[in-house]
Amino acid sequence: KLENATLKAELGRATWKFLHTMVARFPEKPSDDDRRTLETFIHLFGRLYPCGDCARHFRELLAQYPPQTSSRNAAAGWLCFAHNVVNERLEKPIFDCNNIGDFYDCGCGDEGKEGKE
Ligand code: FAD
């Protein structure tokens, strides 16, 4: 089947939004289990992301820049950096990772519940 750049970009935007919003809610002080869970998730994501070329590039990126999971800040900073590596390869503008703070809000209205901060 032919590549459809519109669908590929749409999937990318939705996925980045999900990933950045997810790490924005990662615990500020993660347990070892939290850290292992995020690390495992990212590696499984690199195996399962449906755009095969994208996933292959992403696995190479993971090998070079392992996910940072020591805190919410570390995780969000790492993902922002990783997204910028992809931006650079696709010749897209580089995002200022200092502005990531309140940019991704899940709108869930349940901060502090169920162990999420
Ligand atoms: P996106 O890159 O989708 O970003 C969406 C929004 O996120 C931006 O508008 C901006 O507000 C914000 N943003 C931008 N940079 C950052 C950052 N560093 N940190 C936080 N927020 C940011 N497409 C390909 O054609 N080839 C590939 O090899 C490829 N690999 C991909 C690998 C992964 C893991 C993912 C998730 C997507 C990949 N994509 C790939 C899709 C590509 O990254 C874009 O999602 C798609 O091209 C749409 O781009 P966009 O300009 O709308 O912005």
Side-chain angles (χ1 to χ4, degrees):
K1 226 175 157 195
L2 279 177
E3 173 179 310
N4 182 327
T6 307
L7 291 176
K8 185 158 120 176
E10 199 177 299
L11 175 67
R13 270 190 297 276
T15 301
W16 286 122
K17 170 103 177 170
F18 163 65
L19 291 175
H20 290 297
T21 307
M22 179 179 78
V23 297
R25 307 246 349 211
F26 189 65
E28 281 169 24
K29 296 195 169 96
S31 65
D32 287 348
D33 185 52
D34 291 329
R35 296 187 62 176
R36 231 178 350 259
T37 301
L38 180 58
E39 164 102 30
T40 304
F41 177 90
I42 302 268
H43 281 99
L44 293 175
F45 168 83
R47 290 284 303 278
L48 292 170
Y49 190 66
C51 160
D53 277 342
C54 309
R56 190 169 44 74
H57 283 300
F58 191 70
R59 290 197 298 272
E60 287 167 12
L61 187 155
L62 291 183
Q64 204 178 345
Y65 306 107
Q68 302 298 303
T69 63
S70 60
S71 67
R72 174 184 299 175
N73 248 343
W78 172 82
L79 186 65
C80 188
F81 169 82
H83 190 165
N84 274 335
V85 173
V86 177
N87 287 339
E88 197 172 13
R89 186 161 49 76
L90 301 178
E91 299 181 338
K92 286 177 188 286
I94 298 305
F95 188 90
D96 180 358
C97 292
N98 294 312
N99 288 339
I100 198 119
D102 293 324
F103 199 79
Y104 291 97
D105 180 348
C106 85
C108 317
D110 59 354
E111 279 77 4
K113 286 186 200 156
E114 292 168 33
K116 300 276 194 302
E117 288 170 43

